[in-house]
Amino acid sequence: MSVAEKVQAEAGRDFIRDIVAEDLAAGRHKTVVTRFPPEPNGYLHIGHAKSICLNFGIAQEFGGRCHLRFDDTNPTREEQEYIDAIEADVRWLGFDWGDHLYHASDYFERLYGWAEELIRAGKAYVDDQTQDEMRLTRGTLTEPGQASPFRERSAEENLDLFRRMRAGEFPNGARVLRAKIDMASGNINLRDPVLYRILHATHPRTGDAWKIYPSYDYAHGQSDAIEGVTHSICTLEFEDHRPLYDWFLENLPVPSHPHQYEFARLNLAYTVLSKRVLNQLVTGRHVSGWDDPRMPTLAGLRRRGVPPAALRDFAKRIGVAKANSLVDLGLLDFSIREVLNKSAQRRMAVLRPLKVVIENYDGPGEELEAVNHPDDPAAGTRRVKFGREIFVEQDDFMESPPKKFFRLSPGAEVRLRYAYFITCRDVVKNAAGNIVELRCSYDPATRGGNAPDGRKVKATIHWVSAQDSVPAEVRLYNPLFTRPEPDVANFVDELNPNSLEVLRDARLEPALAAGNSPEPVQFERLGYFARDRDSAPGKPVFNRTVGLRDSYAKA
Ligand code: ATP
Ligand code: MG
C-alpha cells in the first residue's frame, strides 16, 4: 500500500469510493448498485470478506444497495450446501441483501436469447474443435491466434447447431459457442472467447433443463446489466477481461451499462485463499472440515471465536488498493484483539497446571471477588473459590530463574490475582525428577491482593482452585502453512505439522464450564478463547482465538 493509500484507508476512503462519490455527484447515477457474486463451489474465506465489506459497505455508505448474486454457471462444482453456507456467512458478517438475492441461473433464458442474437448478427459461431485444438490455436502474447476452420459457418447453420446443443443432442465437449471478435487481438480474452459449453449435469436450481451453460465472462456482465448494477467491482485478475465485458454490453441490447473496476485481492501471509485448495484441504482430511478453526474460511474464523466486527475492522485497515500485496497475520490478530479487548469478559483458566499447596491455609476455603471487565464496571463481578490447593501455570514457575524472571521461584513472593500474596517454600519432584507440586505459604493480611504494610511484589499470576476448577480441553492454533507465501501447487508439503496443539489437562474456573455461550472470553494473561461446539456436558472444549500479544513481531 502506498502512503496515499494508507491515508485514504484511515479516512475510510479509497479509489473506488472516490469514483462512486464522483459518479453520484456528477449525476451519472441516482443510486449506487453493487453486487457480491460468489460462485457456490466452496465456503467463503477472508478474501471474500474483503470483497463483501467493500461492496456492501459502499452500498451502505452511499445509500444504495448491494445484491447477493450466485454465479451458478458450473453445476459440476456447485452444491446447495455451499449456497446455504454463503448466505449464512454474509449475514453473520453483518450484511443484508434485502430482497436482492439473485442467481446467474435466473437469466439463463435471456442469456440464451442474446446468444442467438449474436449468431444472427454474425458475431458468434459454433466451433467443433476440441479443447486442445482451441488452446493450440489461441496464439500467445506475441503471436496472433489462428482462425477456426468453423469460424465462417453461416448464421443458419450456427443457429441450428446451437439449438441442437441446447436440446442435448451432443455429448459434453463436442462443440462450443464462441464470440467472433478478433483472433489477432493483443488481448487473448478477445480471441473468440467461449460463450457456451455443453454440460450434461444437474443444476441445483434449474435441474436438467439445460445441457449448455454460459461461461463466466458471458454471464457476468450481462447479469450486472440486467440487475442495473452501476459499479461492478472485482479483483485484478479480471482487468484483462474488461474489454470483453464491455464488448458484450456494446453488442447486446442490454438494459443498462455497468462499469467494471478492479482492486487488489487480499493475500494473507501463511494462508491460502483459494476455494480449490481449501476444498482439497477438506477432502484430503488435512483439516477437520470447512469450519476447522485453522481454516481462513468465515466458518472457521467464526468457530475460532473471531467476531464479525473484527473482520470488518480488518477490512477497513487493509484498505482497497490497485497493487497486490501480502498482509501480515499480525494485522488480523490486532483487529481481533481490538474488538475482543472491549467485549470479552475476563475469566481465569490454567492451560498447563502445576499444583500448589498452601501449607499455612486451613479451613474449607472461601470466595473472593473477581471483576468481569477491568474497563467496564457495568460488567460486574463474580465470586471465585479459593482454597488450600490451587493450580498455577507451569510457565509461571522456574526452579532456577534468570535475573529478570519475577514470577514464582523458590523463596519468591508473588500476587495471586484477586487473592493473596504467596511465597514458594519447597519444590516437590517425582522419581523422574519432574516438578509435580509446589509448597507455598500465604500472607492472610494480603486478602484481595494488597499488603497493608505497602510491600510490593513484581508479578501477579493467575490460578484456579484445585477442588472446584473444571477439567477442559483447550486447542491452540498456529498458521496452517510453514511459509509466508505457500506454494499452492505443493501445498501438502508446506503444511505446518504444529498448526494444532491440544491441551487435555487444562483447568477452568467453574463459571466457564457452566455457560455454553460461544462468546469469546479472555483467559487472564493468556488470550481470548471461545467455547467450541465439540464441548459436551461437563467436558468443555475451548479454542484459542488469539493470544494477548503479537507473537509474530517477536519471531
Ligand atoms: P477462489 O479463488 O477462492 O475460488 P474466486 O474469485 O473464484 O475465489 P468467487 O466465488 O468467484 O471466488 O468470488 C466472489 C467474489 O469475491 C469475486 O468478486 C472475487 O473477486 C472476490 N474475491 C475472491 N477472492 C478474493 C480475495 N482473496 N480478496 C478479495 N476479493 C476476493
Ligand atoms: Mg471466481
Side-chain angles (χ1 to χ4, degrees), residues 112-387:
Y112 175 85
W114 281 339
E116 285 206 353
E117 284 189 42
L118 287 177
I119 292 173
R120 274 188 228 104
K123 293 174 183 169
Y125 62 97
V126 172
D127 194 344
D128 301 355
Q129 290 184 108
T130 63
Q131 250 188 2
D132 280 345
E133 284 167 336
M134 281 196 288
R135 194 164 34 79
L136 289 171
T137 52
R138 193 172 291 137
T140 63
L141 287 174
T142 49
E143 280 168 61
Q146 297 150 37
S148 162
F150 304 97
R151 199 170 194 262
E152 301 307 329
R153 273 178 164 151
S154 69
E156 291 70 37
E157 188 184 358
N158 280 320
L159 259 187
D160 172 63
L161 284 171
F162 188 46
R163 286 175 182 167
R164 286 162 62 197
M165 281 168 63
R166 174 181 184 165
E169 254 186 58
F170 311 117
N172 288 355
R175 300 189 150 88
V176 295
L177 183 73
R178 296 176 77 173
K180 193 170 178 178
I181 306 180
D182 180 4
M183 286 307 288
S185 171
N187 184 331
I188 294 181
N189 292 299
L190 294 179
R191 294 183 190 167
D192 294 6
V194 171
L195 307 188
Y196 275 90
R197 57 217 186 286
I198 299 169
L199 211 56
H200 293 261
T202 304
H203 186 282
R205 297 189 80 246
T206 59
D208 295 318
W210 291 89
K211 312 295 176 199
I212 55 174
Y213 288 93
S215 63
Y216 168 88
D217 281 321
Y218 182 62
H220 199 83
Q222 281 66 271
S223 301
D224 286 342
I226 291 168
E227 293 173 17
V229 166
T230 55
H231 298 77
S232 180
I233 305 166
C234 61
T235 40
L236 285 177
E237 316 82 275
F238 292 100
E239 195 166 15
D240 289 346
H241 295 237
R242 185 165 10 108
L244 180 56
Y245 183 98
D246 291 334
W247 187 90
F248 289 126
L249 298 181
E250 281 153 22
N251 286 280
L252 289 170
V254 287
S256 79
H257 281 249
H259 282 269
Q260 177 182 300
Y261 300 94
E262 306 88 17
F263 70 101
R265 61 187 285 115
L266 170 67
N267 297 310
L268 196 56
Y270 299 97
T271 306
V272 173
L273 297 180
S274 149
K275 277 180 287 182
R276 187 181 53 79
V277 173
L278 297 180
N279 197 345
Q280 287 171 14
L281 287 172
V282 173
T283 53
R285 297 183 179 266
H286 302 292
V287 295
S288 64
W290 284 99
D291 72 346
D292 186 303
R294 293 167 292 179
M295 289 281 270
T297 51
L298 300 190
L301 292 163
R302 173 168 60 233
R303 186 168 170 193
R304 214 174 86 195
V306 175
L311 294 175
R312 296 194 299 267
D313 180 81
F314 174 68
K316 203 164 159 187
R317 279 174 206 281
I318 57 176
V320 177
K322 259 279 183 199
N324 280 313
S325 64
L326 187 67
V327 175
D328 197 288
L329 272 178
L331 194 60
L332 173 60
D333 287 354
F334 180 86
S335 290
I336 300 171
R337 283 188 206 105
E338 279 282 293
V339 170
L340 290 182
N341 180 41
K342 292 194 192 83
S343 67
Q345 295 232 339
R346 272 51 170 175
R347 296 286 183 266
M348 288 202 288
V350 173
L351 298 188
R352 298 171 184 87
L354 172 59
K355 190 177 221 177
V356 170
V357 177
I358 301 168
E359 293 183 306
N360 60 335
Y361 189 97
D362 288 315
E366 63 191 299
E367 288 194 334
L368 299 164
E369 190 159 59
V371 303
N372 289 330
H373 198 297
D375 308 323
D376 179 13
T381 59
R382 66 190 189 284
R383 320 278 296 169
V384 290
K385 297 244 179 76
F386 184 78

